[in-house]
Amino acid sequence: MLHLIKLCVGAQDVDDLHRWQQGRMRALREATITHHTRQTPKRRADILAGGSLYWVIGGLVLVRQRILDIRDEPDDEGRPKCGLVLAPELIAVAPQPRRPFQGWRYLTPEDAPADLGAAGAAMPAGMQRELAALGLL
């Protein structure tokens, strides 16, 4: 199994990401969300064996989504792009600082932050950020 990690550009917090994705799913009348990237992961089988997309929001890895499929899809001009089909559930993870980078990166299970329980998921994003900065999460 292998994961991907990517910056969540434009979202201020997990709620922003959730609202945007839910709105997109309603508009397209789909049960899943597809996130498009320019590069297609070469280790497709490893990712589809239980991998997730970990989102970096505001300099911290805060949430993940299971990757259900990886599709090759052309854009409007016929150029190749990759469609990451994601489960709609956002799973809160222990905040982990991450510097900006372009595109996506592979993330091994050993380096992935642990899932938070229900109590951690309910914690406000600002509090998560402060506790992570103090090394308490």
Side-chain angles (χ1 to χ4, degrees):
M1 176 179 45
L2 190 63
H3 305 293
L4 296 177
I5 186 168
K6 186 168 186 353
L7 296 181
C8 187
V9 178
Q12 299 300 312
D13 53 34
V14 175
D15 290 335
D16 263 357
L17 173 63
H18 178 73
R19 280 190 300 274
W20 181 84
Q21 288 185 345
Q22 292 300 309
R24 185 148 170 87
M25 285 174 23
R26 277 191 300 276
L28 297 175
R29 297 185 178 149
E30 295 183 3
T32 58
I33 190 75
T34 302
H35 180 77
H36 294 99
T37 68
R38 284 193 272 182
Q39 300 297 318
T40 300
K42 303 226 182 304
R43 297 180 63 184
R44 182 180 194 278
D46 293 333
I47 294 166
L48 293 179
S52 291
L53 177 61
Y54 284 75
W55 290 106
V56 178
I57 302 172
L60 293 171
V61 181
L62 293 176
V63 68
R64 71 178 177 91
Q65 286 180 279
R66 288 181 301 112
I67 298 174
L68 304 176
D69 198 7
I70 299 172
R71 300 179 184 156
D72 292 322
E73 302 174 350
D75 68 11
D76 295 337
E77 283 106 39
R79 294 177 297 218
K81 66 178 178 178
C82 173
L84 301 173
V85 180
L86 305 173
E89 299 85 20
L90 295 172
I91 301 164
V93 298
Q96 186 181 80
R98 190 63 67 137
R99 291 195 170 160
F101 58 92
Q102 290 189 350
W104 53 262
R105 300 284 184 265
Y106 290 116
L107 181 67
T108 63
E110 300 81 36
D111 293 332
D115 290 353
L116 289 178
M123 189 182 306
M127 184 182 290
Q128 284 183 359
R129 196 175 313 283
E130 288 179 31
L131 291 173
L134 295 169
L136 299 173
L137 273 182

